[in-house]
Amino acid sequence: MPPEEYLGRNTQDYYAVLRKVGRSSWSPHRSARPWIRFCLTVHYRQAATYLLRINETTQRCLECSELAAQHRLPGRTVAALSHAALGLRIRNQTYRRLVGIAEGEEISSVTAG
């Protein structure tokens, strides 16, 4: 999991730990412990963020599946409903792409319409 997202939100902390450990030049006598702790914290928090997103996505997909079943919609509509629940616009081409990814099937432009 790349740490760039976390670092982008915590740039000042990143530079502060670099200053603390490096002090403008490397020395084998200074401890790298703050840098190691920072790196481990970054990866832990990024992993926690991804886990939260996975759980939210799973819940949203379950709710969209239930909604599709209630309205007797084809199963292929669940991915599009999930995207729409995020406020994303669903167009014909987008819907066809989502069906291809989620269901592994191709549908025509007419069917998607």
Side-chain angles (χ1 to χ4, degrees):
M1 288 175 231
E4 288 80 12
E5 181 182 5
Y6 180 88
L7 293 175
R9 291 188 318 261
N10 298 278
T11 307
Q12 296 298 339
D13 294 341
Y14 170 74
Y15 285 116
V17 75
L18 285 178
R19 278 191 303 275
K20 183 177 183 176
V21 172
R23 296 186 192 153
S24 72
S25 66
W26 181 79
S27 170
H29 304 292
R30 278 197 294 271
S31 173
R33 183 173 287 175
W35 174 248
I36 293 168
R37 183 180 303 259
F38 179 79
C39 289
L40 290 173
T41 299
V42 168
H43 285 286
Y44 172 80
R45 289 184 180 166
Q46 195 65 19
T49 298
Y50 281 128
L51 183 59
L52 179 64
R53 287 180 187 159
I54 288 167
N55 291 336
E56 289 172 349
T57 300
T58 300
Q59 183 61 38
R60 185 174 55 255
C61 286
L62 288 172
E63 291 170 3
C64 289
S65 279
E66 291 172 8
L67 187 63
Q70 280 178 349
H71 293 276
R72 297 185 180 136
L73 298 172
R76 68 174 181 258
T77 62
V78 174
L81 288 171
S82 184
H83 270 60
L86 289 172
L88 301 172
R89 189 173 181 156
I90 305 299
R91 296 194 167 129
N92 189 298
Q93 183 178 4
T94 306
Y95 179 61
R96 291 193 330 256
R97 184 176 49 81
L98 288 171
V99 170
I101 292 168
E103 301 293 319
E105 64 180 82
E106 285 188 28
I107 60 171
S108 71
S109 180
V110 173
T111 301

